[in-house]
Amino acid sequence: MLSKQIWITWENQVRNRAMSLMLGSSLYVFNCTGGRVKRYVICCFKTISTLWKEKPAVVYSQNPSIVLVLFLLMMRPIFRYKLVSDAHYAGVVAFNGNKLLQSILNICNRMVDMVIVTNSDHARFIHDVGGKAVVCEDPLPDLTAYTRRYDDQSRTVFFICSYDVDEPYKMVFEAANLLAKEGFTLCVTGNYAKAHIDPKDYPAVSFLGYLPEAQYYEKLMSSSIVLDLTENENCLVCGAYEAMSAGKPLITSNTLSLRRFFTKGTVFTDHNVDDLIEAVKVAYKNRQQLSNDIVEWKEWAINRQAFNAKQIFKEIGIDCV
């Protein structure tokens, strides 16, 4: 049995569920509505109540939120736990290049007992600012509940998008017009309204909007190809893990970090229309072989996750009793 661990997050995110399960820690999700001040007050109250009740030896915290990490740093001398920050891309590098935010991130990552990152470049960055880091990519989500069959001849491309600044979605929508002539249908998730997009401007694109989890995974499982792109070099996109778990051929960005990890079942593309169209054609043509390759990759990934968990326990000094 492991020392008492809890995982605290102020947003509902797949990695939190998967990581807390992998590490055997109790998950607490405090996702409050309302204005920013109201949310912070309620979330801080629920967090301190949980710390008082659980009295954990180790607390894992998602970053973002940087406010959560700062609050847990303040509470650490009182409750005497080890604090581990699970830093997504924006928990390591300020996404907007803001120097003040970057300084605060560096201080947090130096003060916590350890930072979990998703790639070796970010680990080096944490070490350079005086922190301690361990690499752990996302565990594969469990999609066994979603087994909806699909037409093997279907040419549905499932584009996972949140309309963030690192996603070249306008390029994808431009490619959709040409892909439609080849018989492909592009379905895109996410709240397109926040990007001020009028679906009427892109008649070749099926805008699904923000989907509940069950509908989201059903759509993913019924697609032929999964597409998820980022312009951030050290970002391992969540949709790639979902594609692997579902055994779906993946098209993703031609970055070093993505190529290093997703070594099978994947077609990489540069961010231009011609390359993307060619990637879709290649992925569809070779879809059966790519799916077969994913089976082999998943076995490797599961073994890697077991190794990652042991490394985290070793570095944080968690005793098994």
Side-chain angles (χ1 to χ4, degrees):
M1 181 177 179
L2 296 175
S3 303
K4 185 63 176 288
Q5 309 171 85
I6 64 173
W7 187 291
I8 298 179
T9 176
W10 287 356
E11 67 174 51
N12 190 14
Q13 207 263 359
V14 173
R15 178 173 166 95
N16 293 305
R17 297 199 299 270
M19 287 288 291
S20 61
L21 181 63
M22 183 187 81
L23 297 172
S25 57
S26 301
L27 175 63
Y28 292 89
V29 181
F30 305 132
N31 190 10
C32 306
T33 59
R36 181 175 297 181
V37 174
K38 177 183 177 181
R39 293 200 315 270
Y40 285 158
V41 170
I42 293 174
C43 288
C44 284
F45 176 78
K46 290 184 176 181
T47 298
I48 198 170
S49 297
T50 300
L51 294 172
W52 180 268
K53 180 183 70 173
E54 297 292 346
K55 298 178 175 57
V58 179
V59 176
Y60 299 96
S61 168
Q62 181 187 347
N63 184 15
S65 162
I66 194 171
V67 176
L68 171 59
V69 175
L70 287 168
F71 182 72
L72 289 171
L73 281 169
M74 292 172 57
M75 295 296 103
R76 185 173 58 178
I78 299 173
F79 291 97
R80 298 183 179 181
Y81 47 74
K82 291 184 177 181
L83 178 58
V84 179
S85 171
D86 183 48
H88 295 200
Y89 184 92
V92 178
V93 179
F95 67 93
N96 57 1
N98 185 286
K99 291 184 178 179
L100 177 59
L101 177 58
Q102 187 62 61
S103 296
I104 297 172
L105 285 171
N106 292 347
I107 291 170
C108 287
N109 290 330
R110 187 163 54 244
M111 291 184 65
V112 296
D113 293 280
M114 192 174 73
V115 183
I116 302 174
V117 294
T118 60
N119 61 84
S120 57
D121 287 342
H122 277 180
R124 282 191 291 271
F125 187 94
I126 297 297
H127 291 147
D128 288 345
V129 300
K132 182 178 181 181
V134 168
V135 175
C136 184
E137 301 86 0
D138 287 22
L140 296 180
D142 183 3
L143 303 184
T144 53
Y146 308 97
T147 56
R148 178 178 171 182
R149 296 184 178 182
Y150 73 102
D151 180 0
D152 187 55
Q153 302 306 311
S154 168
R155 296 193 173 202
T156 303
V157 180
F158 188 68
F159 179 32
I160 299 172
C161 184
S162 55
Y163 300 94
D164 285 334
V165 294
D166 66 306
E167 296 171 302
Y169 50 85
K170 290 185 178 179
M171 180 274 296
V172 177
F173 298 160
E174 183 180 348
N177 293 319
L178 298 174
L179 286 169
K181 297 178 181 179
E182 301 283 344
F184 291 98
T185 301
L186 180 75
C187 298
V188 57
T189 64
N191 180 15
Y192 55 83
K194 82 173 189 179
H196 308 291
I197 288 175
D198 185 349
K200 295 179 181 178
D201 294 334
Y202 303 98
V205 179
S206 176
F207 289 90
L208 304 175
Y210 182 82
L211 297 173
E213 185 174 282
Q215 291 183 29
Y216 172 87
Y217 285 127
E218 286 171 0
K219 284 287 186 180
L220 183 148
M221 295 296 290
S222 65
S223 66
S224 302
I225 300 165
V226 174
L227 173 65
D228 198 351
L229 303 174
T230 178
E231 293 179 343
N232 290 335
E233 171 57 43
N234 291 310
C235 180
L236 298 182
V237 290
C238 293
Y241 299 99
E242 294 169 331
M244 295 292 105
S245 184
K248 298 291 181 177
L250 167 69
I251 301 174
T252 192
S253 301
N254 188 22
T255 67
L256 182 59
S257 58
L258 285 166
R259 293 186 77 97
R260 281 174 175 170
F261 189 65
F262 296 102
T263 55
K264 292 183 182 295
T266 306
V267 177
F268 299 95
T269 181
D270 291 330
H271 294 167
N272 62 72
V273 170
D274 290 341
D275 278 10
L276 178 58
I277 290 174
E278 182 61 22
V280 170
K281 291 179 179 179
V282 169
Y284 182 77
K285 179 180 179 181
N286 301 306
R287 60 193 184 282
Q288 188 58 60
Q289 183 59 53
L290 290 170
S291 295
N292 292 341
D293 291 343
I294 289 173
V295 174
E296 181 181 344
W297 182 91
K298 286 172 69 174
E299 183 178 354
W300 170 84
I302 291 169
N303 290 333
R304 182 178 177 87
Q305 286 303 310
F307 172 80
N308 288 341
K310 290 179 181 178
Q311 287 297 108
I312 291 171
F313 294 152
K314 177 182 176 181
E315 294 298 326
I316 200 62
I318 296 177
D319 295 325
C320 294
V321 295

